[in-house]
Amino acid sequence: MRVLVVEDERHLADAIARGLRRHGLAVDVAYDGSVGHEMAFVTRYDVVVLDRDLPGMHGDQLCAALVGSGALTRVLMLTASGSVAERVEGLRLGADDYLPKPFAFDELVARVQALGRRATPVTPPVLRAGDLELDPAKRSVTRGGVLVDLTNKEFGVLEELLRARGGVVSTEELLERVWDANTDPFTTIVRVTMRTLRMKIGQPALIETLVGAGYRIPSAAQDGVA
């Protein structure tokens, strides 16, 4: 899941980003509304965590622009005001959720994850390929009933491949969906992660490489819903 945090309080923005990354999310940060607007319309984000009172471009304007674009991106609006009137106004602007400051970080994470699930086409609650099962909610992977210990990036790559339902996922798409803007686009990190992921999930092999195109788990290997 790819998240953009647009917050002008740098310490808070960086703390939110660090916390979300610990939960396996790819997170970018913008410290003003104008930069946030540019980033949101260059990269497809599942969720934008958006402060309302921003320099450059007000959070209300950025929210309206995202909603007006028809993008699937979900907006979680933050504000220092917790009044009912402020919450109602934020939702009227098109925000999908609203969280007043200060907030409990666990609640922020839960809300971001819930919105992220709504930002993508409906998929089964548990993703399967043969005897391999991935549960996004529990962030667990098993094969043949045995727990597979994956890093956050390995988990993210596997989830993207399973969500593609047999489609090919390019290296560029994996970099965009699983990593963040600080990742060198010419790095070999996807290839390295794919190699360790294949080793961990074992045999028979599930992930195919299509030279010049990307990677896929053939739809024939996937069983459908849990």
Side-chain angles (χ1 to χ4, degrees):
M1 185 189 302
R2 190 82 178 261
V3 178
L4 174 63
V5 176
V6 190
E7 166 63 66
D8 64 321
E9 294 181 37
R10 288 177 176 259
H11 292 303
L12 177 59
D14 293 343
I16 291 173
R18 286 194 302 271
L20 292 175
R21 287 171 186 144
R22 284 198 294 268
H23 284 79
L25 308 183
V27 185
D28 297 326
V29 179
Y31 301 114
D32 71 68
S34 298
V35 174
H37 180 273
E38 181 180 353
M39 294 175 69
F41 284 87
V42 169
T43 300
R44 183 173 74 83
Y45 291 99
D46 297 294
V47 180
V48 173
V49 178
L50 178 63
D51 184 38
R52 192 166 189 185
D53 297 314
L54 290 168
M57 173 185 281
H58 196 277
D60 290 358
Q61 293 176 279
L62 178 48
C63 180
L66 284 167
V67 173
S69 72
L72 291 175
T73 302
R74 302 299 181 178
V75 177
L76 172 59
M77 189 170 280
L78 304 176
T79 183
S81 173
S83 72
V84 172
E86 285 281 329
R87 292 199 297 271
V88 170
E89 181 61 22
L91 294 171
R92 282 178 176 166
L93 288 167
D96 298 279
D97 202 353
Y98 197 96
L99 193 59
K101 302 175 185 176
F103 49 80
F105 189 75
D106 287 347
E107 181 180 5
L108 173 68
V109 172
R111 288 174 183 253
V112 168
Q113 291 174 332
L115 289 176
R117 290 192 289 271
R118 291 166 51 191
T120 55
V122 177
T123 55
V126 175
L127 303 171
R128 290 194 175 101
D131 61 349
L132 182 140
E133 295 187 356
L134 182 148
D135 187 328
K138 295 179 180 177
R139 292 198 66 80
S140 66
V141 174
T142 61
R143 185 151 198 196
V146 178
L147 188 66
V148 181
D149 184 21
L150 300 181
T151 67
N152 284 332
K153 297 308 181 187
E154 291 162 355
F155 185 96
V157 167
L158 182 59
E159 184 176 9
E160 290 299 320
L161 293 175
L162 289 169
R163 287 188 184 279
R165 308 295 290 273
V168 178
V169 183
S170 70
T171 296
E172 291 76 16
E173 288 171 319
L174 288 173
L175 281 171
E176 179 175 311
R177 305 300 302 152
V178 181
W179 281 267
D180 58 35
N182 296 317
T183 305
D184 181 354
F186 300 104
T187 184
T188 60
I189 194 168
V190 172
R191 188 166 70 246
V192 171
T193 301
M194 196 67 68
R195 183 168 64 245
T196 59
L197 174 60
R198 282 171 162 148
M199 290 173 57
K200 288 183 178 182
I201 63 177
Q203 297 294 325
L206 293 174
I207 303 171
E208 295 182 346
T209 299
L210 285 79
V211 178
Y215 306 91
R216 73 177 176 189
I217 295 177
S219 55
Q222 300 190 39
D223 298 330
V225 301

